[in-house]
Amino acid sequence: MLIGRKVPDVTFRTRVRDEAVGGPNPFRWQEMTSSDYFAGKRVVLFSLPGAFTPTCSTFQLPDFEKLYSEFQAEGIDALYCISVNDAFVMNAWGKTQNLENVQLIPDGSGEFTRKMGMLVAKDNLGFGMRSWRYAAIINDGVVEQWFEEEGFSDNCDSDPYGVSSPQNILENLRRKIAA
Ligand code: BEZ
């Protein structure tokens, strides 16, 4: 992904709570576009291999959640976590994480991830096609900074995590402001 490139135009199928639906499971589909998420905002998008996976659930997502105010102080309007998982899975994961600050984006079909050039096979784990771990600062839909874990490959034996951590991204944001 090149800095300066616009993120792909994609429609995401989310599930939102709507009491008007009634019954024991009051959720309905809501389509959200790339423009809904990215237009007119400076955001951090981080992408990971799967909801409920250990590093993502124990470190990456909760750490972004905790550090939200520090991102705000560096001029970030929103934190988005995307994964090649459907809306039901992403919502269930979000519930276990008590999220207030990070918004989850379900890329169930992998279309956004594929168009970002970040789709990899994880058949070695029985996952199918998933996202390589990366993060980006996206300003009004345009990639401003890029944080990709090393070793982009199909069926990777390891799961590198560091470059796309919230701590590393914050450090970069602070360095840029200080420079
Ligand atoms: C993890 O987040 O720890 C993880 C991610 C993908 C596969 C296995 C583990």
mmCIF file of all heavy atoms in Angstrom, residues 49 53-56 125 127 133 159, ligand 1:
data_model
loop_
_atom_site.group_PDB
_atom_site.id
_atom_site.type_symbol
_atom_site.label_atom_id
_atom_site.label_comp_id
_atom_site.label_asym_id
_atom_site.label_seq_id
_atom_site.Cartn_x
_atom_site.Cartn_y
_atom_site.Cartn_z
ATOM 1 N N PRO A 49 -5.557 -10.659 11.929
ATOM 2 C CA PRO A 49 -5.922 -11.924 11.280
ATOM 3 C C PRO A 49 -7.252 -12.520 11.702
ATOM 4 O O PRO A 49 -7.817 -13.328 10.960
ATOM 5 C CB PRO A 49 -4.781 -12.874 11.653
ATOM 6 C CG PRO A 49 -3.856 -12.145 12.530
ATOM 7 C CD PRO A 49 -4.354 -10.760 12.758
ATOM 8 N N THR A 53 -8.673 -13.987 18.331
ATOM 9 C CA THR A 53 -7.338 -14.609 18.373
ATOM 10 C C THR A 53 -6.539 -13.992 19.531
ATOM 11 O O THR A 53 -6.791 -12.851 19.926
ATOM 12 C CB THR A 53 -6.606 -14.450 17.032
ATOM 13 O OG1 THR A 53 -6.566 -13.061 16.706
ATOM 14 C CG2 THR A 53 -7.305 -15.216 15.929
ATOM 15 N N PRO A 54 -5.580 -14.733 20.067
ATOM 16 C CA PRO A 54 -4.982 -14.320 21.346
ATOM 17 C C PRO A 54 -4.280 -12.954 21.349
ATOM 18 O O PRO A 54 -4.556 -12.133 22.229
ATOM 19 C CB PRO A 54 -3.991 -15.450 21.651
ATOM 20 C CG PRO A 54 -4.455 -16.617 20.860
ATOM 21 C CD PRO A 54 -5.153 -16.083 19.650
ATOM 22 N N THR A 55 -3.372 -12.707 20.425
ATOM 23 C CA THR A 55 -2.642 -11.427 20.459
ATOM 24 C C THR A 55 -3.605 -10.266 20.257
ATOM 25 O O THR A 55 -3.522 -9.227 20.922
ATOM 26 C CB THR A 55 -1.552 -11.395 19.361
ATOM 27 O OG1 THR A 55 -0.699 -12.517 19.550
ATOM 28 C CG2 THR A 55 -0.738 -10.122 19.409
ATOM 29 N N CYS A 56 -4.541 -10.454 19.350
ATOM 30 C CA CYS A 56 -5.502 -9.390 19.033
ATOM 31 C C CYS A 56 -6.395 -9.099 20.235
ATOM 32 O O CYS A 56 -6.714 -7.948 20.524
ATOM 33 C CB CYS A 56 -6.374 -9.806 17.844
ATOM 34 S SG CYS A 56 -5.441 -10.423 16.445
ATOM 35 N N LEU A 125 -3.765 -22.565 9.287
ATOM 36 C CA LEU A 125 -4.472 -22.506 10.582
ATOM 37 C C LEU A 125 -5.949 -22.841 10.419
ATOM 38 O O LEU A 125 -6.734 -22.687 11.360
ATOM 39 C CB LEU A 125 -4.337 -21.095 11.180
ATOM 40 C CG LEU A 125 -2.917 -20.622 11.467
ATOM 41 C CD1 LEU A 125 -2.922 -19.161 11.888
ATOM 42 C CD2 LEU A 125 -2.268 -21.485 12.552
ATOM 43 N N PHE A 127 -7.944 -21.084 8.592
ATOM 44 C CA PHE A 127 -8.647 -19.798 8.579
ATOM 45 C C PHE A 127 -9.147 -19.405 7.184
ATOM 46 O O PHE A 127 -9.979 -18.503 7.077
ATOM 47 C CB PHE A 127 -7.693 -18.673 9.040
ATOM 48 C CG PHE A 127 -7.492 -18.546 10.526
ATOM 49 C CD1 PHE A 127 -7.796 -19.573 11.400
ATOM 50 C CD2 PHE A 127 -6.966 -17.379 11.051
ATOM 51 C CE1 PHE A 127 -7.574 -19.431 12.764
ATOM 52 C CE2 PHE A 127 -6.754 -17.231 12.407
ATOM 53 C CZ PHE A 127 -7.052 -18.251 13.270
ATOM 54 N N ARG A 133 -1.308 -8.543 9.152
ATOM 55 C CA ARG A 133 -1.437 -7.535 10.202
ATOM 56 C C ARG A 133 -0.792 -6.224 9.741
ATOM 57 O O ARG A 133 0.390 -6.197 9.384
ATOM 58 C CB ARG A 133 -0.748 -8.051 11.463
ATOM 59 C CG ARG A 133 -1.354 -7.598 12.752
ATOM 60 C CD ARG A 133 -0.467 -8.040 13.903
ATOM 61 N NE ARG A 133 -0.755 -9.367 14.399
ATOM 62 C CZ ARG A 133 -1.764 -9.653 15.219
ATOM 63 N NH1 ARG A 133 -2.602 -8.713 15.599
ATOM 64 N NH2 ARG A 133 -1.941 -10.888 15.656
ATOM 65 N N ASP A 159 3.389 -14.928 13.637
ATOM 66 C CA ASP A 159 2.417 -13.833 13.586
ATOM 67 C C ASP A 159 3.104 -12.580 14.145
ATOM 68 O O ASP A 159 2.878 -12.211 15.295
ATOM 69 C CB ASP A 159 1.188 -14.226 14.436
ATOM 70 C CG ASP A 159 0.171 -13.099 14.526
ATOM 71 O OD1 ASP A 159 0.043 -12.305 13.570
ATOM 72 O OD2 ASP A 159 -0.492 -12.996 15.576
HETATM 73 C C1 BEZ B 1 -3.019 -14.191 17.572
HETATM 74 O O1 BEZ B 1 -3.537 -13.087 17.518
HETATM 75 O O2 BEZ B 1 -2.407 -14.572 18.567
HETATM 76 C C2 BEZ B 1 -3.165 -15.127 16.420
HETATM 77 C C3 BEZ B 1 -3.508 -14.617 15.204
HETATM 78 C C4 BEZ B 1 -3.659 -15.475 14.132
HETATM 79 C C5 BEZ B 1 -3.461 -16.812 14.307
HETATM 80 C C6 BEZ B 1 -3.122 -17.315 15.536
HETATM 81 C C7 BEZ B 1 -2.972 -16.464 16.604
#
